[in-house]
Structure formats: C-alpha cells, structure tokens
Amino acid sequence: MAHRWAMVIDLDRCTGCETCMAACHAENNIATVDAKQAARGRAMHWIHVERYWEGEFPNVRARFQPVLCQQCDAAPCEPVCPTYAAYHNEDGLNAQVYNRCIGTRYCANACPYTARYFNWWNPVWDKPLQLQLNPDVSVREAGIMEKCTFCNQRIVATEIQAKAENREVQDGEVKPACVQSCPTTAMVFGDLDDPNSQVSRLARSMRATTLLSELGTNPKVIYLERESSHGND
Amino acid sequence: MNAIYGLFPDTNSARRALAALREESSRLRIKPGAIVLMSSEPLEEEGFGWEKQRTYMPWLTPLGALLGGAAGYALAAFTQRVYPLPTGGMPLIAMYPSGIIMYELTMFGAIFTTIVTLLISARLPFYGKRLYDPEVTNGKILVGVADPDRECSGEIGQHLQSEGAEQVREFSSE
Amino acid sequence: MNNAQNEKTPGSSEGKEKTSADRFHRDWLVVSIAVVGLAVAATMWVSAARGMLEGQDSSPAAGAPAVSTPEQVPAVFTTARRSFFSAVQEYFGVQGTPVQPVQFNHSIHIKNGLQCAGCHSGVTQGPDAGIPSVSFCMACHQAIATDKPEIKKLTVYAVKGREPPWQPVFWFYPEVHVRFRHAPHIRNGIACEQCHGDLSKETVAVRSKELTMNFCLTCHKANAVSVDCVTCHY
Amino acid sequence: MATTSIAPEYAIDIKPDQIRQDLLRPIFQTSRRFYVLVFFLVAIGLPGIFLYANQMSEGMGVAGITRPIFWGIYIANFVFWIGISHAGTLISAILRLVNATWRRPVTRCAEAITVFALAIGAQYPIIHLGRSWLFFWLMPYPSERGIWPNFRSPLCWDFFAISTYLTGSTAFLLLPIIPDWAVVRDRASGFRKRIYTILALGWRGTPREWHRLEVAMRIMAVAILPVAISVHTIVSWDFAMAPVPMWHSTVFGPYFVAGAIFSGIAALIVAMGILRKALHLEEYLKPSHFSNLGKLLLVMSLLWVYFIFAERLTVWYGNQPAEMAAFWSIQRGRFAGLFWTMVSCNFLIPFPILAIKKLRTITGTMIASSTVVVGMWLERFLIVVPPLEHKYLPYEWGTYHPSVTEIGIAIGTLCGMILLYVLFAKLVPIISIWELKGGQHKKPFAEQALSAASRSGVHLDSTLPSTNS
C-alpha cells in the first residue's frame, strides 16, 4: 500500500521553541560542529526554525517558521544526482541514499530551500556520547550529503509492525521526531493519499501554502499561514 | 621478402622511375602490386598512384556512428529498466537525456571507427621487419620492387639508376 | 624552453662541453630531488599539523580551555578510518576471519535439538538476532559437558562475570549504511540458513555466504518484496 | 593539378633539411633551462597533490566551500580548463576544413593544448567529489547492485561528452604525429630509438598510409567540431539545469561555447608566443599568424560582450527578486571589483589592441591574450560563486572565500598543465614537419584526397596500383 507522506506545519501554533531541532538531532544522529565551523555555515540542522520580525520597532513581533526538507514531488535535487543517491520512492519520499552518495553536492546547489547538508568532516562524538546514537539510523561519514528523511526509520518500523499485525498503518501512527516532540502540536504528519487523514484535511485549509511555490517544486511540507498575516493581529 | 629499390632526391625523377617500371612491368616480370613507393610527405601529384587510392573509411564512419548511437539508446533504455525507479507517471526512459547520451556515443562511434579503420587499412601498427629505408624521412623518395624476379633485378636496378636514383639498394628480410 | 644553450656557451671542444653539461645535469637532479623531497615533507607536516588542529576544533569540547593539553584530549568516537590501511580494507570490502574467544560448536547444539531462536532470541522481535549472555549458556553448562576445554573457558568468563568478546561473523561496514532487521524476515518464513548457511554442518560459525547487495536483491525480487533503496539504506 | 599559391606573409621559405633540423632540435638537445623549468613546475605543483590527499583523508572541510556555496573554484577551474581545451581541436578543425594554409605551423601546438587542458580539466569533477575514491560510479558499468548512473544528470552527460572529446582530440593530435615520430625514430639511437620505434607504429610513408591518414584526418575534422560544441554546451548545462538564480538561463549554452573558444584562442596565442621565443621558431610562427589569430580573438571578444550583455540585460529586465540579489552583488556589491576587472580583461583592454592594426603585433596579441585568459577565469568564478551565495531564501545566504587547499590544487593543476605541455614540446616536434613541408608547394591535402577518392575505383589491397592503367 503506497502512501504519500506529507507534513503540515501550522505557523499560528509555532512558538519557535526549537524542540523539533533538538529532537531531530537526537533521533537522526546529526553531527555537531564547533563554533568556528558553525560560523562558517557548516552547522547541520535537518530542521531549523527561522525567525522573522514583523512590524516597526518598538511594535515588533517575532514570527517563526520551521524549515526542513520540503520533500518536493518535483524535486530539483533528484534528476541532477549522477548516482541516484537522491531519488523518489513510491511512498513519495524524496529519499537520500547515503551509500550511493559520492558527494558531488549538485543536489544541494539545485535545492532552492538549501535544505541539504553536507558532511564536511567526519563527525566526532566525545566518548561516551556515542552511546546515545540512534542504532536505527546510520552515522554518516565525511563526503556525504544528508537531509531530512521524514524519519524514514520510523516509517519503516511502523510499516513492519503493521504488517506483523496484519493491518494498515493508521493515521497518526507514524510520527517523525519533530512532530512527536512539538509541544504545541504545530506539526502534523500523515498520508496525503488518504482523504480522511488529518494531514489531508489540514492541507485543504484555506490557509495552506507552500514555500517558494512559484518554483513549481510541489512540496509536501505544507504551511498553514498565520491568521494574523491576514490582518487580524 | 627481398626487394630492390632506389632513393630519389625529387618527385620528378621518382615519377619517371615509377612510369618506367610500370611500362616495363611485364617484361621485368614485376608482379601486380609489387612496385613500392615511400615518401616523407604525401605525394598527391599525378603519376604516384594517389588517384587510384580508395578506402571504405567514409562509409565505415557513419556505420560506426549508427552503431554508437544505437549503443547509446540501448544503454540508456536498458539501464533504466534494470532498476525501474518511480517517475511519477513520466516515461521511464527520459527522451532528452537519452538523446544527449545517444548523441555523444554516436560521435564516439564515428571517431572510434575512423581510428580503427585507419589503423587496420593502413596496416598499423607493424613492428616486424619489412622493406624500409631511414633515408625516406630525410626527404628521399623510395621507389622499388618487392620480390623481383631474380634474373631481372639487375635490370630493374639499372632502370632506377638511369632515372636518377641517388642510390640503388637491396633489401632482404632474412 | 629546452634548446640552444649549447649555442650560447663559448666554443670549446665537444667532449669537454659534454662532461660539464653532464655534471650540470647530475647536480640539478640531486638538487631537484632534495627540494622536491623537502616540499613533500613540508606539505605533509603542514597538513598533519592542520589535521590535528582540526581534529581538536571539531570536537564539541574544543571550547573548553582544558583540552589543550594532550593527555586531557577526550577519546572520541568518529567515522574516520583508523588508518589508511583500514580505509583501503573497507574500500575493497575485506572483512577478515573472526577469531572467537570460545570455539562454540553450532552443530552439536543443533543436533541436540536446540533451535536458532532459542539462543538468538532477538531474531523474532527486533533488528538484531543477539548473542546470549554467558549466564544463559551456564544455565545448561553448569551441568552439561563441564569437562570439555571450551566449556572450561566459558566457565572462567562466567565466574569472572564477564562476557566473552564474541566477534561478529556476518556484519556490514558502516559505510554501506544498511539497517537490517531480522524480525520481518523470520516472520515471513525466511529460514536462518538462507543467509547464514547450514550451521548444523559448521562448528564455529563461518561466513559461508557473502551478504552482498546482489544477494539481498535476488531474494527480494524473487519474493516481490520492496527493492526500494530506503527500505534498507537509511 | 594546379598548386595554390600561399600569400607571402605566411610562406615559410626554408629548406626541408633545415626544417627538420630546427623542429627536431628540442628533442635531441636538452638545455639547462628545460631542467630548471621542469624542476620548478614539479616543486610548485607537487604540494597540490598532497593538499588533495589531505582533503581526501580529512574531508571536504579543508576547502573553502561551505553551505550554501557548495561549488567553489574547483568547478570554476573545471569550466575554465574545459574552455581552454577548445583552443586546439576546434580552431585546428575549422582551419583544416576551410583549407586555411596558414594553419600548418599552428595546429599541433593548439591541439596539444586541447588534450592537456582537457585531461587537467577532467580531474576537477573528481577532485571536488566528497568521496573521490568512488568517482567511477559516474561511469556506466555493470555492477552487482544493478544500479547504473542516472542519465538524467548533467554530470553524467559530462562524463560522456568529455570522454568522447578526449578520445577524439587525442586521436586528432596523435594521428598526424605518427609520421613525425617516424622521422625521430630514424635519427634516434639507443633507448630513445626503441621508444620512438614503438610510437611510430612502423610508419613507412607508403601512399596507402598517407592516403588513409589524410582521409581519416578530414573525417576527424568534421566529427570533432560538433563534439567540441556539445562538450561546452553540456558543461554550461551543469549550471543551467539547476534552478539557481542567474544559472537557470537558456543563453548559457552558446554563451559558454563562445567563452570557451575565446579563452582557447587566447591560451593558444600565449602558448605560441612562448614557444616561439623558447624554441626559436621565429621563422615558423610569423607575425601574420598572431595577427590572424588576433582577428579571431577580436571577433570572439565582441561575441563575448554581446553574450554577457544579453545575459545581464534579460535578468535586469526580468527583475525577479531572487535573480536581482545575485545580479546586484555582481554589479555593485561584493563582486563588483571582479566583474569590472573581468570586463576590462576581456573587452576594454584587448579590444583596442586587437582592433588597431598597428597594435596587433606579436607583443600586442600576447598582452591581449594574457588579459583574456585572466578575464575568462574571473568569468567562470563569477558564474559559479555569486549566484550560489544568493539563492532564493535570504536567510540561507552565505559568503565564500577560497582556502589554501583550493588555491594550492589550482596552482598544482596549472603547473601540471604547463609541465605536460613542456614535456610534449620536448618529446614531439611541436610543429608538424610533414604538414609544413607539404604546405610549401601543394594544394591542401584534404580537397585532393577526397577528389582522388571519389574519382577512382575501390583499391584496398596494394601499396600502389598495378600498372595496367
């Protein structure tokens, strides 16, 4: 049973707490870099929260937008990869296969969201911090491109579990780390092919929009615009 | 193989020698195709047999190109079918990219065929011992007869000498 | 670039000129090799020094002043290969032959009616089949075959309360990024020997089958299971 | 058969013996300057190899590239060198096809630039890989995984285009060298003789060999032209196929091809100028050759200005926010200095020099070409870097500074290119001996070869036609 995994992020609910970032780092074994490298733009956050200021000082208001790989249906990163490391799978995931990646970084250039992260160095953890690494996710080494996978390991685990119990995957059963950890439930994950899933219902909202929609990438991360940006603030 | 040949300083004397040998070929029992000519530059003037040269190369090259193009299509189509990835309703064998691969392999086929045809039809490379004189690359023109009839070789040598050969030499591969 | 020097040198006899030119060439050769060697050494030194610095910098504790002395540099876990040699080994997929602390005899256990999942109990539940702890072994071996030398070795471990350092037989290099799960395979009726060979004919387990990607794909295709990359690689 | 007369300014009035002596001198005599040069090239270039090895062992972090500028001067160098490689084969093929008799002393040194620049340029896509040791995954070969390269990727097209071009241009260079190697073979002794005997393939100079060689060269001249065009078009598509502001442009194909020929001619003039002095080829490479190539350079300079104007004007009129960010950073921002240096180097300086006949001397064209080479490198840099610094989302913008590793490798490959060229000039007569001699008194070969072939019957089996004509 094919799915079309998608995420809806309600910007009205996002408080910019960055719990999703922390959860993502913990779940996906994302390498940390030192301050110097981070200042050079080499920090890796599969999801990161962007902050905007609205209004003129002193009447300003902070706005937040979590940005992750948009899992485009027409992803610019996929056709440019010479080794099929970036490709589309049948569940609509814009997948990245680490072992196929030879590090041309072409996909990262092609990605208009700059949502792809490159391992400039071999990642390092002080012992015994390596014991907290998630065994369900591989640790990527230097020279490999990585990005948000919609927590593919959780999708696979849930599908295996559902199959073992001889049933379909339920709506809301798969929860990526960011969705699971979001204290305001601003993020919802689910199957867009299922018209009754929460994601599908929210995606039909009047507030639904996508990032850089003019580029025709057809993302599967759908943002619900703030009510306030329609003048209700 | 044995041979007798003369080294000529210029094209005129070489041409005269060639003409003489051809004229007398039956009397001197020169076998067809046994007259040998070597030069340090292409002799395209009349009288050197250039006008009789003919090669299939201009036909083989397009053939190689066609084969290359077909190989390009086969490669692009075959490899896509081996591991079919989801294309979202688009054709599995993408037309324009395959066209580019086909184009490059077409040209590759043409170039490769030309090189191979050149080497085969010019009988290169050849590292064995065969009739040659280093004086050729000094600008001398070599005109000679391969495997001359034993009785006639003296006369052939005289012919070469009389047409202006600077030197008449004999060659033996033994 | 490479001519006419001879024309410029003052006229002298051919032989004399040649020897001085020869000496000149030899001198240049010596100097060239020396300087090239120096350049090599300097570059390697610089890169080594830089590499050490980077190694420190990129560890999360680099900000702390204490790490500057070598003995306090924390031991780190990294994906970098230990040496050039190990990188080459991994590149060519050389896995070597594991040497086990105790020569465990699979065939005897199977002949005595034990099932694989009896000891490798994780195999039906999770990704890893698991190796039983030494206490699990001792449940039987306190009484059975206690006089055998290998069992005596095992008993030593059990008395010390330490696990024998079992070496993995079937394993993947981290670089292949495979997340293999045993449970779904067992649930779908894949027999253990399909991947691990017939253990009833082996004493100490050996890598009787090469678990290459082609090996996996052949079976997946034959059984019409997903051959999607992210089914296994993530 | 009528002989075409050669305009006096191109006529090389030297006896064949003298030609051989002049052109073979570098092969048989080795000067101190040669050793000094080779030594310095190796010494300066060698650190590049170690920096590259260090990059492989440490990770790409040693390079200056960072997010979001994932491509830096590695790719700029790649495009630059592939551009330089359009010097030879393309020019030489065009000149062969139009039977320009003045081409004869020029072709080989031009074709050598092509082969070596291509060989050097083709290293860069490998150097810039995060995992260089897996570069062969770009090539199609059957593997147990059953996965082949993605033929939709422009990088895969690059592989096909560059390998075709490299094969073609190497053959284009090597085939006419065979007779010249035979000349060296007959004069050399000892070890050298053995080497050149192998290289000469047993060439004798029979009419059959000459004829096949000339037909092959004519075919190659036709075949190599579309390949050369396609190579740089495909290199431009590396950029144009990605939706990056200022990259995603239809003009890139012809723009890159024009730029490539432009930089290629410039590199050729520089190389000719140096060869002329270093190998004392004043009698062979005459001012008229430089003047002629200078005119060609002038045309390409104008074409380049036209293309850059067309490219920038459409962006400016389009006024899309994402594109304008990159546009203004080039025109007025961080890269303005580089941009105007580039315009000066590619147009403002060379244009008057090349346009005024009195200035179009050897020195003049050398100066103009040198600035063009620099300017064209800057152009490649400005194509690669500023758009990547200014992609769609402003909070993802970044800055790029090349690192020691990148610069060291760039210098290393430059030295490698010069070294290859120096060694080539040492091992091979840099001007084709037989073509030069042939060009002195005869009709250009190609026309004759073809007309001869078309007039006569098929005759493949003898070195010379039999006598019954």
Side-chain angles (χ1 to χ4, degrees):
Chain A
M1 170 72 195
H3 304 274
R4 190 156 160 256
W5 301 114
M7 186 183 284
V8 171
I9 301 176
D10 190 339
L11 296 181
D12 255 350
R13 284 170 174 265
C14 179
T15 61
C17 69
E18 302 191 341
T19 313
C20 48
M21 292 174 69
C24 183
H25 266 265
E27 170 75 15
N28 290 305
N29 300 340
I30 300 172
T32 46
V33 298
D34 64 9
K36 202 176 93 192
Q37 294 295 324
R40 293 192 64 185
R42 286 169 174 178
M44 293 200 266
H45 310 292
W46 287 4
I47 183 169
H48 57 99
V49 177
E50 286 306 327
R51 184 194 59 199
Y52 296 93
W53 295 107
E54 261 182 23
E56 292 289 322
F57 184 82
N59 299 317
V60 290
R61 193 165 165 185
R63 300 296 194 187
F64 302 102
Q65 181 177 29
V67 181
L68 63 162
C69 170
Q70 305 288 307
Q71 304 282 352
C72 312
D73 275 347
C77 55
E78 285 165 8
V80 298
C81 177
T83 59
Y84 280 125
Y87 81 107
H88 223 70
N89 81 353
E90 278 163 16
D91 287 350
L93 285 180
N94 174 224
Q96 172 73 12
V97 189
Y98 307 126
N99 48 308
R100 281 300 288 176
C101 180
I102 57 174
T104 64
R105 306 188 292 291
Y106 200 170
C107 52
N109 280 343
C111 176
Y113 309 100
T114 329
R116 294 178 153 265
Y117 293 85
F118 187 67
N119 284 279
W120 301 102
W121 311 98
N122 277 302
V124 174
W125 283 272
D126 287 347
K127 282 178 177 168
L129 281 175
Q130 90 277 11
L131 298 177
Q132 53 85 43
L133 293 176
N134 185 351
D136 283 346
V137 179
S138 52
V139 177
R140 284 79 56 186
E141 67 263 26
I144 290 178
M145 190 60 72
E146 61 181 56
K147 67 168 193 72
C148 165
T149 60
F150 267 177
C151 281
N152 180 58
Q153 66 280 5
R154 295 185 173 209
I155 298 174
V156 172
T158 315
E159 277 174 348
I160 287 172
Q161 189 61 34
K163 205 179 168 197
E165 294 167 14
N166 211 2
R167 58 173 173 83
E168 292 292 328
V169 176
Q170 307 294 308
D171 183 36
E173 197 179 355
V174 183
K175 276 196 169 152
C178 52
V179 174
Q180 188 187 23
S181 64
C182 183
T184 60
T185 61
M187 301 165 124
V188 174
F189 185 80
D191 184 359
L192 217 50
D193 271 355
D194 175 5
N196 298 318
S197 66
Q198 199 187 352
V199 157
S200 291
R201 276 183 279 123
L202 286 172
R204 288 193 293 267
S205 153
M206 290 288 282
R207 295 197 286 141
T209 180
T210 52
L211 193 54
L212 295 177
S213 52
E214 69 272 21
L215 295 178
T217 53
N218 206 0
K220 282 199 293 296
V221 173
I222 295 148
Y223 292 95
L224 300 185
E225 278 180 8
R226 282 179 295 273
E227 298 284 3
S228 51
S229 57
H230 298 297
N232 297 345
D233 192 17
Chain B
M1 184 191 118
N2 298 305
I4 180 160
Y5 62 90
L7 294 167
F8 295 83
D10 54 54
T11 49
N12 286 336
S13 54
R15 200 194 335 250
R16 281 201 308 274
L18 265 180
L21 288 180
R22 281 175 192 163
E23 218 157 275
E24 311 264 318
S25 61
S26 53
R27 194 172 62 77
L28 295 172
R29 293 183 216 152
I30 299 169
K31 291 167 206 139
I35 299 175
V36 182
L37 174 70
M38 284 176 214
S39 54
S40 64
E41 54 189 283
L43 296 175
E44 296 154 30
E45 300 157 55
E46 295 275 7
F48 288 103
W50 190 269
E51 58 277 10
K52 288 283 173 66
Q53 292 288 337
R54 186 75 195 267
T55 170
Y56 286 119
M57 206 187 289
W59 296 104
L60 289 174
T61 301
L63 199 69
L66 276 179
L67 277 176
Y73 181 77
L75 186 69
F78 163 72
T79 56
Q80 296 300 303
R81 285 170 204 273
V82 169
Y83 211 114
L85 290 165
T87 53
M90 288 194 278
L92 187 63
I93 299 151
M95 191 170 65
Y96 291 101
S98 305
I100 291 168
I101 303 294
M102 279 170 69
Y103 173 82
E104 293 298 340
L105 283 184
T106 302
M107 301 315 291
F108 184 84
I111 290 168
F112 189 75
T113 318
T114 307
I115 299 169
V116 170
T117 314
L118 163 68
L119 291 179
I120 291 174
S121 77
R123 315 236 163 100
L124 299 172
F126 186 93
Y127 293 118
K129 195 165 173 14
R130 57 180 177 176
L131 172 59
Y132 182 66
D133 195 298
E135 281 296 308
V136 170
T137 51
N138 269 334
K140 301 286 184 287
I141 297 169
L142 185 153
V143 178
V145 177
D147 288 325
D149 192 273
R150 213 163 276 171
E151 291 162 24
C152 301
S153 68
E155 202 180 336
I156 293 171
Q158 282 168 11
H159 264 291
L160 294 171
Q161 196 86 54
S162 66
E163 297 298 349
E166 285 183 340
Q167 279 174 310
V168 175
R169 294 180 182 175
E170 286 187 31
F171 168 86
S172 169
S173 61
E174 275 83 52
Chain C
M1 263 149 258
N2 40 16
N3 63 349
Q5 205 63 32
N6 290 2
E7 293 164 18
K8 286 182 184 171
T9 48
S12 53
S13 82
E14 187 78 26
K16 223 176 172 182
E17 191 58 34
K18 211 160 195 171
T19 50
S20 81
D22 280 354
R23 200 182 313 124
F24 174 81
H25 290 168
R26 198 194 54 219
D27 290 352
W28 264 107
L29 202 68
V30 172
V31 175
S32 311
I33 291 168
V35 175
V36 166
L38 270 177
V40 170
T43 336
M44 288 175 84
W45 182 78
V46 167
S47 63
R50 205 210 44 73
M52 262 148 55
L53 283 176
E54 288 294 346
Q56 266 186 25
D57 279 352
S58 51
S59 72
V67 287
S68 54
T69 49
E71 62 269 24
Q72 280 170 296
V73 171
V76 292
F77 169 84
T78 170
T79 53
R81 282 31 156 219
R82 278 189 308 282
S83 62
F84 181 72
F85 179 69
S86 65
V88 171
Q89 265 193 329
E90 185 168 339
Y91 183 66
F92 290 106
V94 180
Q95 291 195 320
T97 315
V99 180
Q100 303 297 354
V102 175
Q103 303 301 304
F104 179 82
N105 192 329
H106 277 93
S107 63
I108 284 184
H109 290 81
I110 295 169
K111 264 179 214 141
N112 287 322
L114 291 181
Q115 297 295 314
C116 303
C119 299
H120 302 285
S121 55
V123 79
T124 53
Q125 281 131 45
D128 286 333
I131 289 177
S133 68
V134 67
S135 56
F136 189 87
C137 304
M138 294 314 287
C140 296
H141 280 293
Q142 259 176 339
I144 302 171
T146 46
D147 55 333
K148 298 277 168 63
E150 294 301 315
I151 305 299
K152 281 179 183 161
K153 271 197 238 170
L154 192 71
T155 317
V156 173
Y157 281 109
V159 169
K160 281 187 192 163
R162 277 172 53 194
E163 294 295 326
W166 301 109
Q167 300 298 309
V169 179
F170 292 91
W171 55 284
F172 299 113
Y173 272 109
E175 203 190 48
V176 304
H177 296 283
V178 169
R179 303 289 111 176
F180 180 78
R181 289 165 193 263
H182 275 94
H185 292 87
I186 300 296
R187 274 204 289 272
N188 287 301
I190 307 294
C192 300
E193 56 262 33
Q194 238 171 301
C195 303
H196 296 291
D198 190 356
L199 267 299
S200 68
K201 289 178 183 140
E202 295 172 21
T203 52
V204 178
V206 292
R207 200 184 304 115
S208 50
K209 300 212 172 184
E210 285 299 326
L211 301 186
T212 60
M213 184 165 156
N214 189 36
F215 180 83
C216 300
L217 279 180
T218 312
C219 194
H220 269 235
K221 279 177 183 163
N223 291 315
V225 201
S226 167
V227 289
D228 187 19
C229 310
V230 291
T231 304
C232 309
H233 296 287
Y234 50 86
Chain D
M1 229 169 271
T3 56
T4 48
S5 59
I6 294 170
E9 64 266 32
Y10 306 122
I12 293 159
D13 194 18
I14 310 168
K15 287 205 172 82
D17 285 343
Q18 187 63 38
I19 291 178
R20 269 192 294 274
Q21 200 183 331
D22 285 348
L23 297 182
L24 293 178
R25 197 193 308 119
I27 296 176
F28 291 108
Q29 288 177 16
T30 312
S31 73
R32 290 167 196 213
R33 277 191 297 168
F34 174 75
Y35 284 103
V36 174
L37 188 66
V38 169
F39 161 70
F40 274 109
L41 289 174
V42 171
I44 301 169
L46 210 57
I49 293 175
F50 290 97
L51 288 168
Y52 175 43
N54 180 51
Q55 174 184 294
M56 278 206 278
S57 84
E58 291 291 320
M60 288 302 290
V62 296
I65 40 180
T66 179
R67 209 177 76 98
I69 303 96
F70 287 97
W71 285 356
I73 63 174
Y74 288 150
I75 297 298
N77 281 337
F78 164 63
V79 182
F80 174 74
W81 282 118
I82 302 289
I84 294 288
S85 82
H86 282 56
T89 310
L90 196 63
I91 294 165
S92 154
I94 292 172
L95 295 182
R96 264 178 216 272
L97 285 177
V98 300
N99 279 335
T101 42
W102 59 271
R103 79 185 148 84
R104 288 169 188 273
V106 177
T107 48
R108 184 166 296 165
C109 51
E111 289 157 12
I113 292 181
T114 296
V115 173
F116 297 132
L118 204 53
I120 291 291
Q123 305 300 311
Y124 270 104
I126 298 174
I127 291 173
H128 105 291
L129 288 184
R131 302 204 285 173
S132 301
W133 49 93
L134 297 176
F135 73 94
F136 57 90
W137 286 5
L138 289 167
M139 304 172 187
Y141 70 99
S143 81
E144 60 143 33
R145 296 177 292 274
I147 300 172
W148 293 67
N150 179 4
F151 291 124
R152 296 177 187 86
S153 168
L155 290 179
C156 197
W157 309 342
D158 268 341
F159 167 75
F160 281 95
I162 290 175
S163 49
T164 302
Y165 191 39
L166 192 57
T167 313
S169 55
T170 308
F172 203 63
L173 171 70
L174 289 185
L175 293 181
I177 295 182
I178 298 172
D180 283 352
W181 270 332
V183 176
V184 183
R185 171 194 66 193
D186 292 346
R187 276 163 189 71
S189 58
F191 177 68
R192 206 176 299 192
K193 180 163 189 108
R194 253 180 288 158
I195 297 286
Y196 282 101
T197 305
I198 293 166
L199 290 174
L201 304 179
W203 178 272
R204 296 192 295 174
T206 60
R208 165 193 284 272
E209 286 170 353
W210 285 118
H211 175 256
R212 301 297 188 274
L213 177 66
E214 300 206 328
V215 175
M217 284 308 287
R218 183 171 170 85
I219 293 172
M220 293 286 289
V222 178
I224 206 81
L225 277 172
V227 175
I229 305 280
S230 79
V231 167
H232 224 69
T233 308
I234 285 173
V235 167
S236 83
W237 286 345
D238 284 350
F239 303 97
M241 293 294 167
V244 174
M246 297 281 292
W247 278 10
H248 197 55
S249 159
T250 51
V251 82
F252 261 35
Y255 174 36
F256 270 50
V257 173
I261 300 171
F262 186 37
S263 64
I265 297 171
L268 171 61
I269 293 176
V270 172
M272 275 169 56
I274 295 169
L275 285 174
R276 182 176 190 267
K277 273 266 172 275
L279 302 182
H280 299 275
L281 299 173
E282 285 88 349
E283 295 292 319
Y284 300 88
L285 300 171
K286 296 191 163 186
S288 51
H289 292 113
F290 288 84
S291 172
N292 265 11
L293 286 172
K295 283 181 205 161
L296 213 50
L297 194 66
L298 177 66
V299 173
M300 297 316 295
S301 176
L302 290 168
L303 200 56
W304 179 84
V305 166
Y306 160 70
F307 269 118
I308 199 159
F309 180 72
E311 185 217 6
R312 289 192 179 255
L313 189 72
T314 45
V315 169
W316 189 51
Y317 259 62
N319 200 27
Q320 290 187 17
E323 286 200 320
M324 290 316 281
F327 180 82
W328 287 125
S329 89
I330 298 172
Q331 304 302 137
R332 283 186 192 161
R334 204 159 92 81
F335 296 98
L338 288 181
F339 177 81
W340 293 111
T341 312
M342 169 187 81
V343 173
S344 311
C345 285
N346 282 350
F347 184 69
L348 298 181
I349 298 171
F351 181 77
I353 296 179
L354 298 170
I356 299 166
K357 199 179 176 188
K358 267 189 184 167
L359 296 178
R360 205 168 55 232
T361 57
I362 293 179
T363 323
T365 51
M366 281 283 282
I367 292 169
S369 304
S370 311
T371 64
V372 168
V373 171
V374 174
M376 284 310 291
W377 189 88
L378 288 175
E379 194 223 39
R380 273 57 165 113
F381 182 82
L382 289 175
I383 285 172
V384 175
V385 175
L388 285 178
E389 287 194 359
H390 302 87
K391 276 164 73 173
Y392 294 94
L393 300 170
Y395 53 78
E396 300 286 14
W397 288 359
T399 51
Y400 168 71
H401 299 282
S403 75
V404 176
T405 301
E406 284 166 314
I407 293 166
I409 292 177
I411 293 171
T413 49
L414 176 65
C415 290
M417 162 75 194
I418 299 172
L419 181 65
L420 285 172
Y421 204 77
V422 167
L423 292 178
F424 180 82
K426 166 86 185 116
L427 297 174
V428 174
I430 196 68
I431 293 175
S432 179
I433 297 173
W434 66 272
E435 283 194 80
L436 198 62
K437 285 195 293 174
Q440 279 180 296
H441 52 78
K442 278 202 299 289
K443 209 171 166 180
F445 68 78
E447 188 184 313
Q448 212 159 8
L450 208 79
S451 62
S454 62
R455 259 191 279 117
S456 52
V458 177
H459 204 286
L460 281 165
D461 56 341
S462 75
T463 48
L464 202 73
S466 50
T467 54
N468 52 0
S469 51

